[in-house]
CSV table of all heavy atoms in Angstrom, one decimal:
chain,number,residue,atom,x,y,z
A,1438,ARG,N,-27.2,-9.8,-3.9
A,1438,ARG,CA,-25.8,-10.1,-4.3
A,1438,ARG,C,-24.9,-9.9,-3.0
A,1438,ARG,O,-23.9,-10.6,-3.0
A,1438,ARG,CB,-25.4,-9.2,-5.3
A,1438,ARG,CG,-24.1,-9.4,-6.0
A,1438,ARG,CD,-23.9,-8.5,-7.3
A,1438,ARG,NE,-24.6,-9.0,-8.4
A,1438,ARG,CZ,-24.0,-9.8,-9.3
A,1438,ARG,NH1,-22.8,-10.1,-9.1
A,1438,ARG,NH2,-24.7,-10.2,-10.3
A,1439,VAL,N,-25.4,-9.1,-2.2
A,1439,VAL,CA,-24.6,-8.7,-1.0
A,1439,VAL,C,-25.1,-9.3,0.2
A,1439,VAL,O,-26.4,-9.5,0.4
A,1439,VAL,CB,-24.3,-7.2,-0.9
A,1439,VAL,CG1,-25.7,-6.5,-0.4
A,1439,VAL,CG2,-23.2,-6.8,0.0
A,1440,ALA,N,-24.3,-9.5,1.3
A,1440,ALA,CA,-24.8,-10.1,2.6
A,1440,ALA,C,-25.9,-9.1,3.1
A,1440,ALA,O,-25.7,-7.9,3.1
A,1440,ALA,CB,-23.7,-10.2,3.5
A,1441,PRO,N,-27.0,-9.7,3.6
A,1441,PRO,CA,-28.1,-8.8,4.1
A,1441,PRO,C,-27.7,-7.9,5.2
A,1441,PRO,O,-28.1,-6.8,5.4
A,1441,PRO,CB,-29.2,-9.8,4.6
A,1441,PRO,CG,-28.6,-11.1,4.5
A,1441,PRO,CD,-27.4,-11.1,3.7
A,1442,GLU,N,-26.6,-8.3,6.0
A,1442,GLU,CA,-26.2,-7.6,7.1
A,1442,GLU,C,-25.6,-6.1,6.6
A,1442,GLU,O,-25.6,-5.2,7.2
A,1442,GLU,CB,-25.0,-8.2,7.9
A,1442,GLU,CG,-25.5,-9.4,8.6
A,1442,GLU,CD,-25.5,-10.7,7.8
A,1442,GLU,OE1,-25.5,-10.6,6.6
A,1442,GLU,OE2,-25.7,-11.8,8.5
A,1443,PHE,N,-25.1,-6.2,5.3
A,1443,PHE,CA,-24.6,-4.9,4.7
A,1443,PHE,C,-25.8,-3.9,4.5
A,1443,PHE,O,-25.6,-2.9,4.8
A,1443,PHE,CB,-23.8,-5.3,3.4
A,1443,PHE,CG,-23.3,-4.1,2.7
A,1443,PHE,CD1,-22.1,-3.5,3.1
A,1443,PHE,CD2,-24.0,-3.5,1.8
A,1443,PHE,CE1,-21.6,-2.4,2.4
A,1443,PHE,CE2,-23.6,-2.3,1.1
A,1443,PHE,CZ,-22.4,-1.8,1.3
A,1444,LEU,N,-26.8,-4.5,3.9
A,1444,LEU,CA,-27.9,-3.7,3.6
A,1444,LEU,C,-28.5,-3.1,4.8
A,1444,LEU,O,-29.0,-2.0,4.9
A,1444,LEU,CB,-28.9,-4.4,2.7
A,1444,LEU,CG,-28.5,-4.9,1.4
A,1444,LEU,CD1,-29.5,-5.8,0.6
A,1444,LEU,CD2,-28.0,-3.7,0.5
A,1445,ASP,N,-28.6,-3.9,5.9
A,1445,ASP,CA,-29.1,-3.5,7.2
A,1445,ASP,C,-28.3,-2.3,7.7
A,1445,ASP,O,-28.9,-1.4,8.2
A,1445,ASP,CB,-29.0,-4.6,8.3
A,1445,ASP,CG,-29.9,-5.8,7.9
A,1445,ASP,OD1,-30.8,-5.7,7.1
A,1445,ASP,OD2,-29.7,-6.9,8.6
A,1446,GLY,N,-27.1,-2.4,7.5
A,1446,GLY,CA,-26.2,-1.3,8.0
A,1446,GLY,C,-26.4,-0.1,7.2
A,1446,GLY,O,-26.4,1.1,7.8
A,1447,LEU,N,-26.5,-0.2,5.9
A,1447,LEU,CA,-26.9,1.0,4.9
A,1447,LEU,C,-28.1,1.7,5.5
A,1447,LEU,O,-28.1,2.9,5.6
A,1447,LEU,CB,-27.0,0.5,3.6
A,1447,LEU,CG,-25.9,0.4,2.5
A,1447,LEU,CD1,-26.5,0.1,1.1
A,1447,LEU,CD2,-25.0,1.6,2.5
A,1448,ASP,N,-29.2,0.9,5.8
A,1448,ASP,CA,-30.4,1.5,6.2
A,1448,ASP,C,-30.2,2.1,7.6
A,1448,ASP,O,-30.6,3.3,7.8
A,1448,ASP,CB,-31.4,0.4,6.3
A,1448,ASP,CG,-31.9,-0.2,5.0
A,1448,ASP,OD1,-31.5,0.5,3.9
A,1448,ASP,OD2,-32.4,-1.2,4.9
A,1449,PHE,N,-29.7,1.4,8.6
A,1449,PHE,CA,-29.5,1.9,9.9
A,1449,PHE,C,-28.7,3.3,10.0
A,1449,PHE,O,-29.1,4.2,10.6
A,1449,PHE,CB,-28.8,0.9,10.9
A,1449,PHE,CG,-28.6,1.4,12.2
A,1449,PHE,CD1,-29.6,1.6,13.1
A,1449,PHE,CD2,-27.3,1.9,12.5
A,1449,PHE,CE1,-29.4,2.1,14.4
A,1449,PHE,CE2,-27.1,2.5,13.8
A,1449,PHE,CZ,-28.1,2.6,14.8
A,1450,LEU,N,-27.8,3.3,9.1
A,1450,LEU,CA,-26.9,4.5,9.1
A,1450,LEU,C,-27.4,5.6,8.2
A,1450,LEU,O,-26.8,6.6,7.9
A,1450,LEU,CB,-25.4,4.1,8.7
A,1450,LEU,CG,-24.7,3.2,9.8
A,1450,LEU,CD1,-23.5,2.6,9.2
A,1450,LEU,CD2,-24.6,3.9,11.1
A,1451,ARG,N,-28.5,5.3,7.5
A,1451,ARG,CA,-29.2,6.3,6.6
A,1451,ARG,C,-28.2,6.8,5.5
A,1451,ARG,O,-28.2,8.0,5.3
A,1451,ARG,CB,-29.8,7.4,7.4
A,1451,ARG,CG,-30.8,7.1,8.4
A,1451,ARG,CD,-31.3,8.3,9.2
A,1451,ARG,NE,-32.3,8.0,10.2
A,1451,ARG,CZ,-32.6,8.6,11.2
A,1451,ARG,NH1,-32.1,9.9,11.3
A,1451,ARG,NH2,-33.5,8.3,12.1
A,1452,LEU,N,-27.5,5.8,5.0
A,1452,LEU,CA,-26.5,6.4,4.0
A,1452,LEU,C,-27.0,6.6,2.7
A,1452,LEU,O,-26.5,7.0,1.7
A,1452,LEU,CB,-25.4,5.2,3.9
A,1452,LEU,CG,-24.3,5.2,5.1
A,1452,LEU,CD1,-23.5,4.0,5.0
A,1452,LEU,CD2,-23.5,6.5,5.0
A,1453,ALA,N,-28.4,6.3,2.5
A,1453,ALA,CA,-29.1,6.6,1.2
A,1453,ALA,C,-29.4,8.1,1.1
A,1453,ALA,O,-29.8,8.6,0.1
A,1453,ALA,CB,-30.3,5.8,1.1
A,1454,GLU,N,-29.2,8.9,2.2
A,1454,GLU,CA,-29.4,10.3,2.1
A,1454,GLU,C,-28.4,10.8,1.2
A,1454,GLU,O,-27.4,10.5,1.1
A,1454,GLU,CB,-29.3,10.9,3.6
A,1454,GLU,CG,-30.5,10.6,4.4
A,1454,GLU,CD,-30.3,11.0,5.9
A,1454,GLU,OE1,-29.2,11.8,6.2
A,1454,GLU,OE2,-31.1,10.8,6.8
A,1455,PRO,N,-28.9,11.8,0.4
A,1455,PRO,CA,-28.0,12.5,-0.6
A,1455,PRO,C,-26.7,13.0,-0.1
A,1455,PRO,O,-26.7,13.5,1.1
A,1455,PRO,CB,-28.9,13.5,-1.3
A,1455,PRO,CG,-30.0,13.8,-0.4
A,1455,PRO,CD,-30.2,12.6,0.5
A,1456,GLY,N,-25.7,13.0,-0.9
A,1456,GLY,CA,-24.4,13.6,-0.6
A,1456,GLY,C,-23.5,12.8,0.3
A,1456,GLY,O,-23.9,11.8,0.9
A,1457,ILE,N,-22.2,13.3,0.4
A,1457,ILE,CA,-21.3,12.6,1.2
A,1457,ILE,C,-21.6,12.7,2.7
A,1457,ILE,O,-22.0,13.9,3.1
A,1457,ILE,CB,-19.9,13.2,0.9
A,1457,ILE,CG1,-19.5,13.1,-0.5
A,1457,ILE,CG2,-18.8,12.7,1.9
A,1457,ILE,CD1,-18.2,13.9,-0.8
A,1458,PRO,N,-21.6,11.6,3.3
A,1458,PRO,CA,-22.1,11.7,4.8
A,1458,PRO,C,-21.2,12.5,5.6
A,1458,PRO,O,-20.0,12.6,5.4
A,1458,PRO,CB,-22.0,10.2,5.3
A,1458,PRO,CG,-22.0,9.4,3.9
A,1458,PRO,CD,-21.3,10.3,2.9
A,1459,ASP,N,-21.8,13.2,6.7
A,1459,ASP,CA,-21.1,13.9,7.6
A,1459,ASP,C,-20.6,12.9,8.8
A,1459,ASP,O,-21.4,12.3,9.3
A,1459,ASP,CB,-22.0,15.0,8.3
A,1459,ASP,CG,-21.2,15.9,9.3
A,1459,ASP,OD1,-20.7,15.2,10.3
A,1459,ASP,OD2,-21.0,17.0,9.1
A,1460,PHE,N,-19.3,12.8,8.9
A,1460,PHE,CA,-18.7,11.7,9.8
A,1460,PHE,C,-19.2,12.0,11.1
A,1460,PHE,O,-19.4,10.9,11.9
A,1460,PHE,CB,-17.2,11.7,9.8
A,1460,PHE,CG,-16.6,11.4,8.6
A,1460,PHE,CD1,-17.3,11.0,7.3
A,1460,PHE,CD2,-15.2,11.3,8.4
A,1460,PHE,CE1,-16.7,10.5,6.2
A,1460,PHE,CE2,-14.6,10.9,7.2
A,1460,PHE,CZ,-15.3,10.5,6.1
A,1461,GLU,N,-19.5,13.2,11.6
A,1461,GLU,CA,-19.9,13.4,13.0
A,1461,GLU,C,-21.3,12.8,13.2
A,1461,GLU,O,-21.6,11.9,14.1
A,1461,GLU,CB,-20.0,14.9,13.3
A,1461,GLU,CG,-18.9,15.4,14.4
A,1461,GLU,CD,-18.9,16.8,14.6
A,1461,GLU,OE1,-19.8,17.2,15.3
A,1461,GLU,OE2,-18.0,17.5,14.0
A,1462,ALA,N,-22.2,13.1,12.3
A,1462,ALA,CA,-23.6,12.5,12.4
A,1462,ALA,C,-23.6,11.0,12.2
A,1462,ALA,O,-24.2,10.3,12.9
A,1462,ALA,CB,-24.5,13.2,11.3
A,1463,LEU,N,-22.7,10.5,11.3
A,1463,LEU,CA,-22.6,9.1,11.0
A,1463,LEU,C,-22.1,8.4,12.3
A,1463,LEU,O,-22.6,7.4,12.7
A,1463,LEU,CB,-21.7,8.9,9.9
A,1463,LEU,CG,-21.3,7.5,9.4
A,1463,LEU,CD1,-22.5,6.8,8.9
A,1463,LEU,CD2,-20.4,7.5,8.3
A,1464,SER,N,-21.1,9.1,13.0
A,1464,SER,CA,-20.5,8.4,14.1
A,1464,SER,C,-21.4,8.4,15.3
A,1464,SER,O,-21.4,7.4,16.1
A,1464,SER,CB,-19.2,9.1,14.6
A,1464,SER,OG,-18.2,9.1,13.4
Side-chain angles (χ1 to χ4, degrees):
R1438 183 175 283 269
V1439 72
E1442 292 85 347
F1443 177 86
L1444 298 175
D1445 295 345
L1447 272 190
D1448 291 344
F1449 174 76
L1450 296 170
R1451 297 183 184 156
L1452 284 171
E1454 287 173 3
I1457 298 171
D1459 180 298
F1460 292 2
E1461 250 177 75
L1463 179 61
S1464 296

